[in-house]
Amino acid sequence: MSSPLYSVSGVKIGGIAAAVPAESVPLTAFDETFGREHVAKFSAATGIKALRRAAENQTASDLSLAAAERLLSERNIPRRDIGLLIFASLSPDYRRPATACILQNRLRLSAGCGAFDLGLGCSAYPYALIAAASLLASSDARCALVLAGETMTKNTDPRDSSTAMLFGDAGSCTLLEKEEDAVIQGILKTDGEGYRDIIVPAGGFRNPLPAAARETRPLDRLFMNGMNVFSFSISGVPKAVREFYALTGTTADDFGLFALHQSNRQILDQIAEKIGAPAEKIPLCLADYANTSAASIPLALCAALGGNDSADPIRTFFCGFGVGLSCAVAAADLVPEGILPPVETDAAFEEGEIRAPADLEE
Amino acid sequence: MDQFIRDFADLFDEPDRFTPETEFKRDPEWSSLTGISVIAMVDRKYGVTLKGRDIQKALTLADLYNTIREKQE
């Protein structure tokens, strides 16, 4: 049951940027579909007041790219210094190739840059931090990028109130850099028994894509067992956190910031209480952006700390949990001045739109 | 049991209608959202984390209370 502890020396978080679609949908827009009373109750329980919805041709990689461009120019990072790119997401551009390859090309990174996708959702961010930091530490590259983004609104069934109002779209980019004294630590966990608790059954190779006529709930949209997910979040997650505290000899007092996956308010309150995280140390962005899955942790940090020019590092606790079911905990220093406020974008990669075989002809 | 019925009823706007025999999932106010509130309340007050299937299996509030007691042991 116990997890190995990952300890990566010599790598720090050098900056974080986030991007959201320009269209903000207030939850009241769902009054007509789900009833005003239900929407109000949902909003009170989850803390969500609005969500961002990507444009029809806009993907998670478009949003993450906008964040990356901003971060690289703001932090003045030469593109040749980037030796690794991880795209952490379950919202790919295509079934193949990996979206990371498209991002390497669009960001004009070197052909010597390793790039791959990491297929997790709500737990993806701390997972990707640990993976990227470990790979960077074992290489002679200077920098790595973790792009975490999702377009959950393209995954949900608009008739399903429990998910249609819960999720929003966002992208992000986190820069990892070499620094001698820095340490990033973490643990990774999986409870695959709950694989059905958050699932889009069709679109892979196990189940056929649903026929055009859709009489029941389409299988290429999200199904969520809210009660099981809640149960996992308030029991499995605090357990993982206590394990991390024990393995690293830390307590909640050692952390100045708790960057938790923005699942919903009810879950966050319960987790915070169990792990001893005081409310004032937990950045929240649910009200404006809803649950953005893989992007939620960096987005919450950008929304809360973007524009803060303090150069003092804050020991930060990260925890992501959800679809899998999966959970990861990490700890790293954050310097607020490296964290940029979220930007809005409607930009999409038109060249990537392939609507007919002829579009692929050279 | 009485205390549990009160704790359960507090999650609803009009709490006077619940008894041990209430088939709670047939209540007009019941939804997965209230199911989550029940799991949260039981976790806080009874130190037990119910799963979705525990709630699915229980027909009446007495059933649910018995499940909690079993898990506490």
Side-chain angles (χ1 to χ4, degrees):
Chain A
M1 292 286 271
S2 71
S3 297
L5 174 69
Y6 296 88
S7 280
V8 187
S9 298
V11 175
K12 68 164 184 181
I13 294 178
I16 308 176
V20 294
E23 189 195 359
S24 177
V25 181
L27 239 52
T28 50
F30 294 94
D31 281 359
E32 206 172 308
T33 318
F34 302 127
R36 200 166 146 185
E37 201 184 333
H38 181 71
V39 173
K41 268 188 189 171
F42 183 91
S43 182
T46 58
I48 296 166
K49 294 184 177 141
L51 54 89
R52 295 295 173 122
R53 184 156 57 204
E56 207 182 333
N57 60 347
Q58 190 180 33
T59 68
S61 78
D62 291 325
L63 293 162
S64 304
L65 178 99
E69 290 288 6
R70 176 95 204 286
L71 187 62
L72 292 180
S73 75
E74 197 78 22
R75 305 292 302 168
N76 232 340
I77 304 294
R79 302 195 182 223
R80 62 176 179 278
D81 283 358
I82 296 161
L84 175 73
L85 182 157
I86 295 179
F87 181 58
S89 176
L90 284 170
S91 303
D93 283 12
Y94 310 107
R95 223 184 280 195
R96 58 184 63 212
T99 306
C101 300
I102 290 137
L103 286 164
Q104 177 269 347
N105 180 42
R106 294 185 67 198
L107 283 167
R108 305 182 309 281
L109 303 183
S110 131
C113 173
F116 62 91
D117 289 359
L118 191 150
L120 290 169
C122 306
S123 63
Y125 188 71
Y127 252 92
L129 281 185
I130 294 166
S134 303
L135 285 171
L136 182 61
S138 66
S139 78
D140 57 6
R142 285 191 180 155
C143 304
L145 296 180
V146 169
L147 281 70
E150 294 266 31
T151 47
M152 290 297 288
T153 65
K154 294 175 195 274
N155 248 328
T156 51
D157 182 341
R159 294 162 301 183
D160 175 19
S161 70
S162 66
T163 57
M165 297 190 286
L166 184 62
F167 293 106
D169 302 334
S172 72
C173 179
T174 300
L175 172 71
L176 296 175
E177 292 174 295
K178 290 276 175 70
E179 183 169 283
E180 215 171 312
D181 300 332
V183 179
I184 295 177
Q185 289 186 303
I187 61 173
L188 312 173
K189 288 197 162 289
T190 312
D191 178 9
E193 200 186 332
Y195 75 96
R196 287 168 174 244
D197 289 340
I198 308 175
I199 190 167
V200 178
F205 299 99
R206 178 71 62 196
N207 297 309
L209 272 171
R214 288 172 164 171
E215 289 171 21
T216 55
R217 287 187 57 188
L219 286 174
D220 58 349
R221 294 293 170 126
L222 192 74
F223 288 69
M224 187 174 77
N225 183 327
M227 286 193 277
N228 279 352
V229 174
F230 187 80
S231 185
F232 167 75
S233 304
I234 65 168
S235 65
V237 175
K239 229 181 266 175
V241 173
R242 284 192 291 267
E243 190 183 329
F244 180 79
Y245 287 163
L247 285 170
T248 52
T250 53
T251 69
D253 295 339
D254 292 310
F255 300 98
L257 207 56
F258 289 82
L260 309 178
H261 166 54
Q262 309 281 298
S263 48
N264 74 50
R265 188 65 201 253
Q266 224 175 358
I267 290 177
L268 283 178
D269 286 349
Q270 207 112 342
I271 290 179
E273 195 183 312
K274 289 189 176 188
I275 68 172
E280 68 273 12
K281 288 186 179 176
I282 306 173
L284 282 178
C285 70
L286 280 161
D288 296 330
Y289 301 116
N291 175 340
T292 56
S293 187
S296 85
I297 292 174
L299 179 60
L301 288 168
C302 289
L305 297 179
N308 179 336
D309 55 9
S310 161
D312 298 328
I314 304 170
R315 193 64 184 166
T316 303
F317 179 94
F318 298 86
C319 183
F321 48 92
V323 62
L325 299 172
S326 165
C327 167
V329 175
D333 284 342
L334 277 186
V335 178
E337 67 174 357
I339 300 174
L340 310 176
V343 290
E344 291 184 350
T345 177
D346 275 336
F349 185 43
E350 284 179 24
E351 184 196 310
E353 292 175 23
I354 300 153
R355 301 291 153 86
D359 294 343
L360 284 168
E361 282 167 17
E362 300 215 321
Chain B
M1 173 81 87
D2 291 350
Q3 182 59 45
F4 174 69
I5 303 292
R6 278 196 295 276
D7 291 336
F8 184 94
D10 280 344
L11 303 171
F12 293 79
D13 294 339
E14 291 161 35
D16 296 334
R17 59 182 182 275
F18 297 100
T19 69
E21 289 74 42
T22 303
E23 296 184 13
F24 60 96
K25 281 169 286 173
R26 295 188 168 199
D27 190 89
E29 262 195 72
W30 179 262
S31 69
S32 70
L33 209 57
T34 39
I36 286 169
S37 302
V38 170
I39 296 173
M41 179 277 286
V42 171
D43 186 76
R44 275 215 171 96
K45 297 200 170 168
Y46 296 83
V48 161
T49 314
L50 295 172
K51 290 193 167 184
R53 94 171 70 87
D54 297 321
I55 293 190
Q56 292 313 331
K57 272 190 198 158
L59 187 65
T60 64
L61 283 178
D63 294 340
L64 193 59
Y65 180 67
N66 289 333
T67 307
I68 295 166
R69 290 299 298 268
E70 279 166 29
K71 288 196 167 225
Q72 280 174 330
E73 280 163 13

